[in-house]
Amino acid sequence: MREFPPVEVTLPWLEKGGEVVTVRLMFTTRERKALNKNYFNYLWKAALEAIGVIAAVHDKPIGKGRKWEECRDKMMHSLRHLFASEAINEGVDIYTLADLLGHEDPAFTLRRYVHRVTGAVGKARRAIGQRYRAAA
């Protein structure tokens, strides 16, 4: 991030033509604008191939119709899942996380991510134990 710091981009954030918001983005175009997710994934696949994480399914050159093996679990959307899982593991409440993810219903967020909490049972035991010890 020191070498390639985030870029401030101002755009309608939640919906096309909606309220304009300035945000800092890690991934931008050469013109320092927001990347289209499909274009990002195309660039991402080439990078994943270059480091040996995925393979091409034919010999066409990049930019000329190259296709790669199925890799949905390694695409940009998986970073969103990582963010959500880490936020829950760090104690972010489900209402805040649902809002950050753009979910209208926090129950959807719960159904999608709560099973990913690392050591959930131990965390619950410690939290309740601390509460009872503090009350004593």
mmCIF file of all heavy atoms in Angstrom, residues 20-63:
data_model
loop_
_atom_site.group_PDB
_atom_site.id
_atom_site.type_symbol
_atom_site.label_atom_id
_atom_site.label_comp_id
_atom_site.label_asym_id
_atom_site.label_seq_id
_atom_site.Cartn_x
_atom_site.Cartn_y
_atom_site.Cartn_z
ATOM 1 N N VAL A 20 -23.688 10.854 -4.484
ATOM 2 C CA VAL A 20 -22.273 10.780 -4.823
ATOM 3 C C VAL A 20 -21.455 10.699 -3.538
ATOM 4 O O VAL A 20 -21.695 11.434 -2.586
ATOM 5 C CB VAL A 20 -21.856 12.009 -5.658
ATOM 6 C CG1 VAL A 20 -20.369 12.011 -5.935
ATOM 7 C CG2 VAL A 20 -22.629 12.031 -6.964
ATOM 8 N N VAL A 21 -20.508 9.767 -3.528
ATOM 9 C CA VAL A 21 -19.668 9.535 -2.354
ATOM 10 C C VAL A 21 -18.219 9.414 -2.815
ATOM 11 O O VAL A 21 -17.940 8.869 -3.880
ATOM 12 C CB VAL A 21 -20.095 8.224 -1.641
ATOM 13 C CG1 VAL A 21 -19.194 7.911 -0.461
ATOM 14 C CG2 VAL A 21 -21.546 8.285 -1.210
ATOM 15 N N THR A 22 -17.297 9.932 -2.014
ATOM 16 C CA THR A 22 -15.876 9.761 -2.297
ATOM 17 C C THR A 22 -15.356 8.630 -1.428
ATOM 18 O O THR A 22 -15.553 8.618 -0.218
ATOM 19 C CB THR A 22 -15.094 11.057 -2.019
ATOM 20 O OG1 THR A 22 -15.602 12.077 -2.882
ATOM 21 C CG2 THR A 22 -13.612 10.873 -2.281
ATOM 22 N N VAL A 23 -14.703 7.657 -2.086
ATOM 23 C CA VAL A 23 -14.150 6.502 -1.392
ATOM 24 C C VAL A 23 -12.717 6.301 -1.845
ATOM 25 O O VAL A 23 -12.289 6.855 -2.853
ATOM 26 C CB VAL A 23 -14.972 5.219 -1.675
ATOM 27 C CG1 VAL A 23 -16.374 5.331 -1.114
ATOM 28 C CG2 VAL A 23 -15.011 4.917 -3.158
ATOM 29 N N ARG A 24 -11.961 5.516 -1.068
ATOM 30 C CA ARG A 24 -10.586 5.172 -1.443
ATOM 31 C C ARG A 24 -10.584 3.746 -1.968
ATOM 32 O O ARG A 24 -10.995 2.827 -1.265
ATOM 33 C CB ARG A 24 -9.670 5.325 -0.243
ATOM 34 C CG ARG A 24 -9.575 6.778 0.223
ATOM 35 C CD ARG A 24 -8.829 6.929 1.525
ATOM 36 N NE ARG A 24 -7.467 6.445 1.360
ATOM 37 C CZ ARG A 24 -6.741 5.914 2.336
ATOM 38 N NH1 ARG A 24 -7.237 5.802 3.544
ATOM 39 N NH2 ARG A 24 -5.507 5.509 2.119
ATOM 40 N N LEU A 25 -10.118 3.556 -3.202
ATOM 41 C CA LEU A 25 -10.114 2.242 -3.828
ATOM 42 C C LEU A 25 -8.693 1.741 -4.023
ATOM 43 O O LEU A 25 -7.810 2.490 -4.435
ATOM 44 C CB LEU A 25 -10.806 2.299 -5.200
ATOM 45 C CG LEU A 25 -12.270 2.758 -5.207
ATOM 46 C CD1 LEU A 25 -12.781 2.823 -6.631
ATOM 47 C CD2 LEU A 25 -13.120 1.818 -4.371
ATOM 48 N N MET A 26 -8.498 0.457 -3.751
ATOM 49 C CA MET A 26 -7.191 -0.167 -3.972
ATOM 50 C C MET A 26 -6.982 -0.524 -5.432
ATOM 51 O O MET A 26 -5.873 -0.497 -5.931
ATOM 52 C CB MET A 26 -7.059 -1.443 -3.133
ATOM 53 C CG MET A 26 -6.866 -1.199 -1.662
ATOM 54 S SD MET A 26 -5.365 -0.272 -1.285
ATOM 55 C CE MET A 26 -4.108 -1.245 -2.072
ATOM 56 N N PHE A 27 -8.043 -0.913 -6.111
ATOM 57 C CA PHE A 27 -7.939 -1.362 -7.492
ATOM 58 C C PHE A 27 -8.657 -0.359 -8.386
ATOM 59 O O PHE A 27 -9.855 -0.144 -8.238
ATOM 60 C CB PHE A 27 -8.571 -2.752 -7.660
ATOM 61 C CG PHE A 27 -7.970 -3.780 -6.737
ATOM 62 C CD1 PHE A 27 -8.678 -4.250 -5.649
ATOM 63 C CD2 PHE A 27 -6.690 -4.262 -6.960
ATOM 64 C CE1 PHE A 27 -8.130 -5.195 -4.799
ATOM 65 C CE2 PHE A 27 -6.130 -5.209 -6.110
ATOM 66 C CZ PHE A 27 -6.855 -5.671 -5.038
ATOM 67 N N THR A 28 -7.920 0.243 -9.320
ATOM 68 C CA THR A 28 -8.492 1.223 -10.232
ATOM 69 C C THR A 28 -7.951 0.999 -11.640
ATOM 70 O O THR A 28 -7.006 0.241 -11.844
ATOM 71 C CB THR A 28 -8.132 2.667 -9.797
ATOM 72 O OG1 THR A 28 -6.707 2.817 -9.821
ATOM 73 C CG2 THR A 28 -8.671 2.999 -8.415
ATOM 74 N N THR A 29 -8.553 1.702 -12.595
ATOM 75 C CA THR A 29 -8.062 1.663 -13.966
ATOM 76 C C THR A 29 -6.798 2.514 -14.065
ATOM 77 O O THR A 29 -6.436 3.219 -13.114
ATOM 78 C CB THR A 29 -9.106 2.237 -14.942
ATOM 79 O OG1 THR A 29 -9.286 3.627 -14.656
ATOM 80 C CG2 THR A 29 -10.440 1.499 -14.830
ATOM 81 N N ARG A 30 -6.163 2.490 -15.231
ATOM 82 C CA ARG A 30 -4.993 3.364 -15.446
ATOM 83 C C ARG A 30 -5.362 4.827 -15.282
ATOM 84 O O ARG A 30 -4.533 5.652 -14.918
ATOM 85 C CB ARG A 30 -4.427 3.142 -16.852
ATOM 86 C CG ARG A 30 -3.687 1.845 -17.001
ATOM 87 C CD ARG A 30 -3.160 1.739 -18.401
ATOM 88 N NE ARG A 30 -4.296 1.654 -19.315
ATOM 89 C CZ ARG A 30 -4.414 0.779 -20.294
ATOM 90 N NH1 ARG A 30 -3.443 -0.070 -20.533
ATOM 91 N NH2 ARG A 30 -5.476 0.754 -21.044
ATOM 92 N N GLU A 31 -6.641 5.139 -15.555
ATOM 93 C CA GLU A 31 -7.127 6.521 -15.440
ATOM 94 C C GLU A 31 -7.547 6.862 -14.012
ATOM 95 O O GLU A 31 -8.097 7.913 -13.756
ATOM 96 C CB GLU A 31 -8.309 6.735 -16.403
ATOM 97 C CG GLU A 31 -7.931 6.620 -17.862
ATOM 98 C CD GLU A 31 -7.853 5.161 -18.336
ATOM 99 O OE1 GLU A 31 -8.462 4.266 -17.702
ATOM 100 O OE2 GLU A 31 -7.145 4.921 -19.332
ATOM 101 N N ARG A 32 -7.275 5.929 -13.074
ATOM 102 C CA ARG A 32 -7.587 6.122 -11.664
ATOM 103 C C ARG A 32 -9.093 6.244 -11.414
ATOM 104 O O ARG A 32 -9.561 7.037 -10.621
ATOM 105 C CB ARG A 32 -6.814 7.300 -11.088
ATOM 106 C CG ARG A 32 -5.303 7.089 -11.187
ATOM 107 C CD ARG A 32 -4.485 8.316 -10.882
ATOM 108 N NE ARG A 32 -4.599 8.778 -9.513
ATOM 109 C CZ ARG A 32 -3.828 8.395 -8.507
ATOM 110 N NH1 ARG A 32 -2.879 7.530 -8.707
ATOM 111 N NH2 ARG A 32 -4.001 8.890 -7.306
ATOM 112 N N LYS A 33 -9.846 5.406 -12.123
ATOM 113 C CA LYS A 33 -11.299 5.331 -11.960
ATOM 114 C C LYS A 33 -11.655 3.949 -11.433
ATOM 115 O O LYS A 33 -10.837 3.036 -11.445
ATOM 116 C CB LYS A 33 -11.996 5.580 -13.305
ATOM 117 C CG LYS A 33 -11.764 6.984 -13.828
ATOM 118 C CD LYS A 33 -12.495 7.205 -15.125
ATOM 119 C CE LYS A 33 -12.242 8.625 -15.599
ATOM 120 N NZ LYS A 33 -12.876 8.900 -16.870
ATOM 121 N N ALA A 34 -12.901 3.803 -10.992
ATOM 122 C CA ALA A 34 -13.362 2.518 -10.461
ATOM 123 C C ALA A 34 -13.306 1.447 -11.546
ATOM 124 O O ALA A 34 -13.631 1.705 -12.703
ATOM 125 C CB ALA A 34 -14.788 2.659 -9.932
ATOM 126 N N LEU A 35 -12.872 0.260 -11.155
ATOM 127 C CA LEU A 35 -12.808 -0.880 -12.068
ATOM 128 C C LEU A 35 -14.156 -1.581 -12.146
ATOM 129 O O LEU A 35 -14.819 -1.774 -11.125
ATOM 130 C CB LEU A 35 -11.818 -1.924 -11.532
ATOM 131 C CG LEU A 35 -10.383 -1.875 -11.965
ATOM 132 C CD1 LEU A 35 -9.591 -2.949 -11.228
ATOM 133 C CD2 LEU A 35 -10.210 -2.023 -13.445
ATOM 134 N N ASN A 36 -14.530 -2.001 -13.333
ATOM 135 C CA ASN A 36 -15.681 -2.875 -13.509
ATOM 136 C C ASN A 36 -15.295 -4.239 -12.948
ATOM 137 O O ASN A 36 -14.196 -4.733 -13.206
ATOM 138 C CB ASN A 36 -16.013 -2.950 -15.001
ATOM 139 C CG ASN A 36 -17.077 -3.973 -15.295
ATOM 140 O OD1 ASN A 36 -16.808 -5.172 -15.297
ATOM 141 N ND2 ASN A 36 -18.273 -3.499 -15.535
ATOM 142 N N LYS A 37 -16.185 -4.859 -12.189
ATOM 143 C CA LYS A 37 -15.840 -6.131 -11.539
ATOM 144 C C LYS A 37 -15.472 -7.213 -12.549
ATOM 145 O O LYS A 37 -14.600 -8.035 -12.290
ATOM 146 C CB LYS A 37 -16.957 -6.605 -10.618
ATOM 147 C CG LYS A 37 -18.209 -7.049 -11.344
ATOM 148 C CD LYS A 37 -19.251 -7.570 -10.382
ATOM 149 C CE LYS A 37 -20.465 -8.002 -11.168
ATOM 150 N NZ LYS A 37 -21.469 -8.597 -10.345
ATOM 151 N N ASN A 38 -16.130 -7.236 -13.704
ATOM 152 C CA ASN A 38 -15.812 -8.256 -14.702
ATOM 153 C C ASN A 38 -14.409 -8.052 -15.273
ATOM 154 O O ASN A 38 -13.675 -9.013 -15.488
ATOM 155 C CB ASN A 38 -16.855 -8.270 -15.820
ATOM 156 C CG ASN A 38 -18.208 -8.700 -15.318
ATOM 157 O OD1 ASN A 38 -18.309 -9.539 -14.429
ATOM 158 N ND2 ASN A 38 -19.251 -8.119 -15.853
ATOM 159 N N TYR A 39 -14.038 -6.803 -15.498
ATOM 160 C CA TYR A 39 -12.702 -6.512 -16.004
ATOM 161 C C TYR A 39 -11.655 -6.860 -14.943
ATOM 162 O O TYR A 39 -10.615 -7.436 -15.240
ATOM 163 C CB TYR A 39 -12.582 -5.061 -16.429
ATOM 164 C CG TYR A 39 -11.246 -4.717 -17.031
ATOM 165 C CD1 TYR A 39 -10.799 -5.347 -18.194
ATOM 166 C CD2 TYR A 39 -10.425 -3.769 -16.436
ATOM 167 C CE1 TYR A 39 -9.568 -5.044 -18.745
ATOM 168 C CE2 TYR A 39 -9.188 -3.466 -16.985
ATOM 169 C CZ TYR A 39 -8.769 -4.095 -18.137
ATOM 170 O OH TYR A 39 -7.550 -3.798 -18.676
ATOM 171 N N PHE A 40 -11.959 -6.534 -13.694
ATOM 172 C CA PHE A 40 -11.049 -6.898 -12.607
ATOM 173 C C PHE A 40 -10.831 -8.404 -12.589
ATOM 174 O O PHE A 40 -9.700 -8.879 -12.502
ATOM 175 C CB PHE A 40 -11.589 -6.437 -11.244
ATOM 176 C CG PHE A 40 -10.723 -6.913 -10.112
ATOM 177 C CD1 PHE A 40 -9.663 -6.148 -9.684
ATOM 178 C CD2 PHE A 40 -10.942 -8.149 -9.516
ATOM 179 C CE1 PHE A 40 -8.830 -6.601 -8.661
ATOM 180 C CE2 PHE A 40 -10.115 -8.610 -8.495
ATOM 181 C CZ PHE A 40 -9.063 -7.828 -8.069
ATOM 182 N N ASN A 41 -11.920 -9.164 -12.667
ATOM 183 C CA ASN A 41 -11.802 -10.628 -12.616
ATOM 184 C C ASN A 41 -10.986 -11.153 -13.794
ATOM 185 O O ASN A 41 -10.223 -12.104 -13.649
ATOM 186 C CB ASN A 41 -13.179 -11.277 -12.568
ATOM 187 C CG ASN A 41 -13.790 -11.202 -11.178
ATOM 188 O OD1 ASN A 41 -13.083 -11.118 -10.181
ATOM 189 N ND2 ASN A 41 -15.094 -11.216 -11.114
ATOM 190 N N TYR A 42 -11.120 -10.545 -14.953
ATOM 191 C CA TYR A 42 -10.341 -10.945 -16.124
ATOM 192 C C TYR A 42 -8.846 -10.738 -15.861
ATOM 193 O O TYR A 42 -8.021 -11.623 -16.091
ATOM 194 C CB TYR A 42 -10.800 -10.135 -17.336
ATOM 195 C CG TYR A 42 -10.038 -10.437 -18.585
ATOM 196 C CD1 TYR A 42 -10.303 -11.590 -19.320
ATOM 197 C CD2 TYR A 42 -9.038 -9.585 -19.032
ATOM 198 C CE1 TYR A 42 -9.592 -11.880 -20.469
ATOM 199 C CE2 TYR A 42 -8.332 -9.859 -20.179
ATOM 200 C CZ TYR A 42 -8.613 -11.014 -20.894
ATOM 201 O OH TYR A 42 -7.902 -11.290 -22.016
ATOM 202 N N LEU A 43 -8.491 -9.566 -15.321
ATOM 203 C CA LEU A 43 -7.089 -9.288 -14.983
ATOM 204 C C LEU A 43 -6.606 -10.218 -13.870
ATOM 205 O O LEU A 43 -5.473 -10.697 -13.889
ATOM 206 C CB LEU A 43 -6.921 -7.829 -14.544
ATOM 207 C CG LEU A 43 -7.243 -6.766 -15.583
ATOM 208 C CD1 LEU A 43 -7.193 -5.381 -14.944
ATOM 209 C CD2 LEU A 43 -6.311 -6.843 -16.775
ATOM 210 N N TRP A 44 -7.477 -10.461 -12.908
ATOM 211 C CA TRP A 44 -7.156 -11.301 -11.756
ATOM 212 C C TRP A 44 -6.835 -12.721 -12.204
ATOM 213 O O TRP A 44 -5.889 -13.342 -11.723
ATOM 214 C CB TRP A 44 -8.327 -11.265 -10.791
ATOM 215 C CG TRP A 44 -8.095 -11.858 -9.440
ATOM 216 C CD1 TRP A 44 -8.600 -13.040 -8.980
ATOM 217 C CD2 TRP A 44 -7.333 -11.319 -8.364
ATOM 218 N NE1 TRP A 44 -8.208 -13.251 -7.678
ATOM 219 C CE2 TRP A 44 -7.435 -12.207 -7.281
ATOM 220 C CE3 TRP A 44 -6.597 -10.152 -8.208
ATOM 221 C CZ2 TRP A 44 -6.812 -11.986 -6.064
ATOM 222 C CZ3 TRP A 44 -5.972 -9.929 -6.995
ATOM 223 C CH2 TRP A 44 -6.083 -10.836 -5.948
ATOM 224 N N LYS A 45 -7.635 -13.246 -13.163
ATOM 225 C CA LYS A 45 -7.394 -14.607 -13.652
ATOM 226 C C LYS A 45 -6.020 -14.717 -14.305
ATOM 227 O O LYS A 45 -5.311 -15.709 -14.101
ATOM 228 C CB LYS A 45 -8.478 -15.017 -14.649
ATOM 229 C CG LYS A 45 -9.800 -15.331 -13.994
ATOM 230 C CD LYS A 45 -10.836 -15.704 -15.043
ATOM 231 C CE LYS A 45 -12.186 -15.913 -14.414
ATOM 232 N NZ LYS A 45 -13.196 -16.291 -15.416
ATOM 233 N N ALA A 46 -5.640 -13.716 -15.073
ATOM 234 C CA ALA A 46 -4.317 -13.744 -15.701
ATOM 235 C C ALA A 46 -3.227 -13.751 -14.637
ATOM 236 O O ALA A 46 -2.218 -14.461 -14.761
ATOM 237 C CB ALA A 46 -4.156 -12.543 -16.632
ATOM 238 N N ALA A 47 -3.428 -12.978 -13.573
ATOM 239 C CA ALA A 47 -2.446 -12.946 -12.481
ATOM 240 C C ALA A 47 -2.402 -14.288 -11.755
ATOM 241 O O ALA A 47 -1.315 -14.791 -11.424
ATOM 242 C CB ALA A 47 -2.789 -11.817 -11.506
ATOM 243 N N LEU A 48 -3.565 -14.885 -11.506
ATOM 244 C CA LEU A 48 -3.605 -16.191 -10.847
ATOM 245 C C LEU A 48 -2.916 -17.258 -11.698
ATOM 246 O O LEU A 48 -2.219 -18.120 -11.169
ATOM 247 C CB LEU A 48 -5.054 -16.604 -10.553
ATOM 248 C CG LEU A 48 -5.792 -15.794 -9.490
ATOM 249 C CD1 LEU A 48 -7.242 -16.253 -9.388
ATOM 250 C CD2 LEU A 48 -5.098 -15.866 -8.144
ATOM 251 N N GLU A 49 -3.095 -17.173 -13.006
ATOM 252 C CA GLU A 49 -2.411 -18.118 -13.886
ATOM 253 C C GLU A 49 -0.897 -17.907 -13.811
ATOM 254 O O GLU A 49 -0.122 -18.871 -13.738
ATOM 255 C CB GLU A 49 -2.877 -17.957 -15.335
ATOM 256 C CG GLU A 49 -2.177 -18.918 -16.272
ATOM 257 C CD GLU A 49 -2.472 -18.669 -17.739
ATOM 258 O OE1 GLU A 49 -3.181 -17.709 -18.083
ATOM 259 O OE2 GLU A 49 -1.962 -19.468 -18.553
ATOM 260 N N ALA A 50 -0.476 -16.663 -13.809
ATOM 261 C CA ALA A 50 0.958 -16.351 -13.793
ATOM 262 C C ALA A 50 1.665 -16.904 -12.562
ATOM 263 O O ALA A 50 2.845 -17.259 -12.632
ATOM 264 C CB ALA A 50 1.166 -14.837 -13.891
ATOM 265 N N ILE A 51 0.949 -17.023 -11.452
ATOM 266 C CA ILE A 51 1.576 -17.550 -10.232
ATOM 267 C C ILE A 51 1.233 -19.023 -9.993
ATOM 268 O O ILE A 51 1.541 -19.569 -8.944
ATOM 269 C CB ILE A 51 1.236 -16.693 -8.993
ATOM 270 C CG1 ILE A 51 -0.270 -16.697 -8.701
ATOM 271 C CG2 ILE A 51 1.777 -15.282 -9.156
ATOM 272 C CD1 ILE A 51 -0.644 -16.043 -7.374
ATOM 273 N N GLY A 52 0.562 -19.649 -10.975
ATOM 274 C CA GLY A 52 0.306 -21.073 -10.893
ATOM 275 C C GLY A 52 -0.888 -21.501 -10.065
ATOM 276 O O GLY A 52 -1.008 -22.669 -9.716
ATOM 277 N N VAL A 53 -1.804 -20.579 -9.757
ATOM 278 C CA VAL A 53 -2.967 -20.931 -8.945
ATOM 279 C C VAL A 53 -4.066 -21.558 -9.800
ATOM 280 O O VAL A 53 -4.774 -22.457 -9.350
ATOM 281 C CB VAL A 53 -3.500 -19.687 -8.190
ATOM 282 C CG1 VAL A 53 -4.802 -19.979 -7.464
ATOM 283 C CG2 VAL A 53 -2.442 -19.181 -7.215
ATOM 284 N N ILE A 54 -4.231 -21.073 -11.027
ATOM 285 C CA ILE A 54 -5.200 -21.646 -11.964
ATOM 286 C C ILE A 54 -4.502 -21.882 -13.297
ATOM 287 O O ILE A 54 -3.399 -21.384 -13.525
ATOM 288 C CB ILE A 54 -6.448 -20.739 -12.167
ATOM 289 C CG1 ILE A 54 -6.055 -19.402 -12.802
ATOM 290 C CG2 ILE A 54 -7.197 -20.561 -10.865
ATOM 291 C CD1 ILE A 54 -7.243 -18.550 -13.219
ATOM 292 N N ALA A 55 -5.176 -22.629 -14.181
ATOM 293 C CA ALA A 55 -4.605 -22.928 -15.497
ATOM 294 C C ALA A 55 -5.555 -22.485 -16.604
ATOM 295 O O ALA A 55 -6.779 -22.465 -16.415
ATOM 296 C CB ALA A 55 -4.337 -24.426 -15.624
ATOM 297 N N ALA A 56 -4.993 -22.142 -17.751
ATOM 298 C CA ALA A 56 -5.800 -21.832 -18.932
ATOM 299 C C ALA A 56 -6.336 -23.130 -19.513
ATOM 300 O O ALA A 56 -5.713 -24.185 -19.377
ATOM 301 C CB ALA A 56 -4.956 -21.092 -19.956
ATOM 302 N N VAL A 57 -7.488 -23.060 -20.180
ATOM 303 C CA VAL A 57 -8.062 -24.261 -20.778
ATOM 304 C C VAL A 57 -7.727 -24.376 -22.262
ATOM 305 O O VAL A 57 -8.075 -25.363 -22.891
ATOM 306 C CB VAL A 57 -9.599 -24.335 -20.561
ATOM 307 C CG1 VAL A 57 -9.915 -24.469 -19.078
ATOM 308 C CG2 VAL A 57 -10.306 -23.141 -21.161
ATOM 309 N N HIS A 58 -7.067 -23.362 -22.839
ATOM 310 C CA HIS A 58 -6.613 -23.421 -24.226
ATOM 311 C C HIS A 58 -5.425 -22.475 -24.403
ATOM 312 O O HIS A 58 -5.009 -21.814 -23.453
ATOM 313 C CB HIS A 58 -7.734 -23.101 -25.212
ATOM 314 C CG HIS A 58 -8.371 -21.763 -25.003
ATOM 315 N ND1 HIS A 58 -7.690 -20.567 -25.080
ATOM 316 C CD2 HIS A 58 -9.641 -21.438 -24.703
ATOM 317 C CE1 HIS A 58 -8.504 -19.572 -24.862
ATOM 318 N NE2 HIS A 58 -9.696 -20.076 -24.606
ATOM 319 N N ASP A 59 -4.882 -22.410 -25.599
ATOM 320 C CA ASP A 59 -3.646 -21.659 -25.848
ATOM 321 C C ASP A 59 -3.847 -20.239 -26.355
ATOM 322 O O ASP A 59 -2.873 -19.568 -26.689
ATOM 323 C CB ASP A 59 -2.769 -22.409 -26.863
ATOM 324 C CG ASP A 59 -2.211 -23.693 -26.292
ATOM 325 O OD1 ASP A 59 -2.209 -23.832 -25.058
ATOM 326 O OD2 ASP A 59 -1.790 -24.558 -27.080
ATOM 327 N N LYS A 60 -5.081 -19.744 -26.417
ATOM 328 C CA LYS A 60 -5.284 -18.379 -26.921
ATOM 329 C C LYS A 60 -4.568 -17.388 -26.004
ATOM 330 O O LYS A 60 -4.546 -17.564 -24.784
ATOM 331 C CB LYS A 60 -6.770 -18.036 -27.000
ATOM 332 C CG LYS A 60 -7.494 -18.775 -28.093
ATOM 333 C CD LYS A 60 -8.925 -18.296 -28.214
ATOM 334 C CE LYS A 60 -9.619 -19.046 -29.334
ATOM 335 N NZ LYS A 60 -11.007 -18.612 -29.481
ATOM 336 N N PRO A 61 -3.979 -16.330 -26.581
ATOM 337 C CA PRO A 61 -3.273 -15.362 -25.740
ATOM 338 C C PRO A 61 -4.233 -14.514 -24.904
ATOM 339 O O PRO A 61 -5.401 -14.359 -25.262
ATOM 340 C CB PRO A 61 -2.520 -14.495 -26.753
ATOM 341 C CG PRO A 61 -3.243 -14.672 -28.039
ATOM 342 C CD PRO A 61 -3.885 -16.025 -27.996
ATOM 343 N N ILE A 62 -3.715 -13.981 -23.822
ATOM 344 C CA ILE A 62 -4.508 -13.093 -22.967
ATOM 345 C C ILE A 62 -4.913 -11.890 -23.807
ATOM 346 O O ILE A 62 -4.106 -11.321 -24.528
ATOM 347 C CB ILE A 62 -3.698 -12.670 -21.723
ATOM 348 C CG1 ILE A 62 -3.447 -13.905 -20.862
ATOM 349 C CG2 ILE A 62 -4.421 -11.590 -20.925
ATOM 350 C CD1 ILE A 62 -2.492 -13.687 -19.713
ATOM 351 N N GLY A 63 -6.170 -11.504 -23.707
ATOM 352 C CA GLY A 63 -6.692 -10.410 -24.512
ATOM 353 C C GLY A 63 -7.281 -10.877 -25.831
ATOM 354 O O GLY A 63 -7.894 -10.113 -26.552
#
